[in-house]
Amino acid sequence: MTSRPLPFDPIARAAELWEERIGPAEAMAAVTSVMRVQQIIQSAVDGALRPHGLTFARYEALVLLSFSKRGSLPMRVMGERLQLHPTSVTNIVDRLEADGLVKRIPHPTDRRTTLTEITEAGRERRAAATEAVTAIDFGLRGLTGRQTRQLSDLLARVRKSVGDFTD
């Protein structure tokens, strides 16, 4: 991030030039804005989670486990819900387990399945990290609650159109 704000919006300027030289600029400007905002949000969230020894992926895993009825889920289900490749889930669980925040336990009825269970330390870390990210609104500044809901709705349309989920 620059140390001081630019006196103009570089994405708006790029859109003007795109329009003049290439053609319609709506999609380019929207995508460039989303990418820039993603950088802003990622930086803010990473900064809030770093003191808690978590990345956003590890934080999401702890939240998911804490939301489950028993505090545990099969790794396959974690991957589906977090929309991650099984290798990524394994890496996340490995790190959380090394930090004592989760443990692997056998499934009570399916010997082929291993469950990941959040520990008390994991619940405490999740709670502290949640305070940190909510204190900064997950890095999403400058919007009202209504605008944030509208943004979520618009982004959900894009996600649905590529098959992320169905209604």
Side-chain angles (χ1 to χ4, degrees):
M1 189 168 132
T2 59
S3 58
R4 58 191 158 97
L6 294 172
F8 64 93
D9 180 348
I11 296 172
R13 181 64 183 134
E16 291 170 9
L17 294 170
W18 187 281
E19 192 82 35
E20 289 172 13
R21 299 176 186 181
I22 297 173
E26 292 87 1
M28 181 281 299
V31 168
T32 304
S33 291
V34 167
M35 297 292 225
R36 176 63 185 130
V37 170
Q38 190 273 340
Q39 292 172 334
I40 293 165
I41 292 169
Q42 180 98 41
S43 177
V45 170
D46 285 350
L49 293 175
R50 191 173 301 112
H52 303 281
L54 295 172
T55 62
F56 190 65
R58 285 183 234 141
Y59 172 71
E60 278 187 307
L62 290 176
V63 170
L64 177 65
L65 291 169
S66 71
F67 284 172
S68 69
K69 289 178 186 171
R70 293 181 177 88
S72 63
L73 289 170
M75 288 177 55
R76 175 190 54 77
V77 173
M78 290 179 67
E80 289 169 1
R81 304 264 169 83
L82 297 172
Q83 299 176 302
L84 294 172
H85 188 275
T87 304
S88 297
V89 175
T90 299
N91 290 336
I92 289 166
V93 170
D94 286 348
R95 290 293 307 269
L96 290 171
E97 189 174 37
D99 290 344
L101 305 177
V102 302
K103 61 183 177 180
R104 288 178 168 95
I105 59 171
H107 192 284
T109 59
D110 183 353
R111 294 185 326 175
R112 299 166 298 167
T113 302
T114 298
L115 299 175
T116 301
E117 181 177 73
I118 190 167
T119 64
E120 187 55 37
R123 289 183 190 283
E124 291 169 7
R125 184 84 57 94
R126 194 246 355 124
T130 297
E131 285 184 29
V133 293
T134 57
I136 61 158
D137 294 325
F138 282 85
L140 195 58
R141 303 272 184 177
L143 299 179
T144 65
R146 181 172 182 261
Q147 290 169 327
T148 301
R149 287 187 298 278
Q150 289 174 323
L151 176 62
S152 293
D153 290 344
L154 291 170
L155 295 173
R157 287 180 183 212
V158 174
R159 294 175 35 242
K160 184 178 179 183
S161 76
V162 299
D164 249 13
F165 65 95
T166 60
D167 283 338

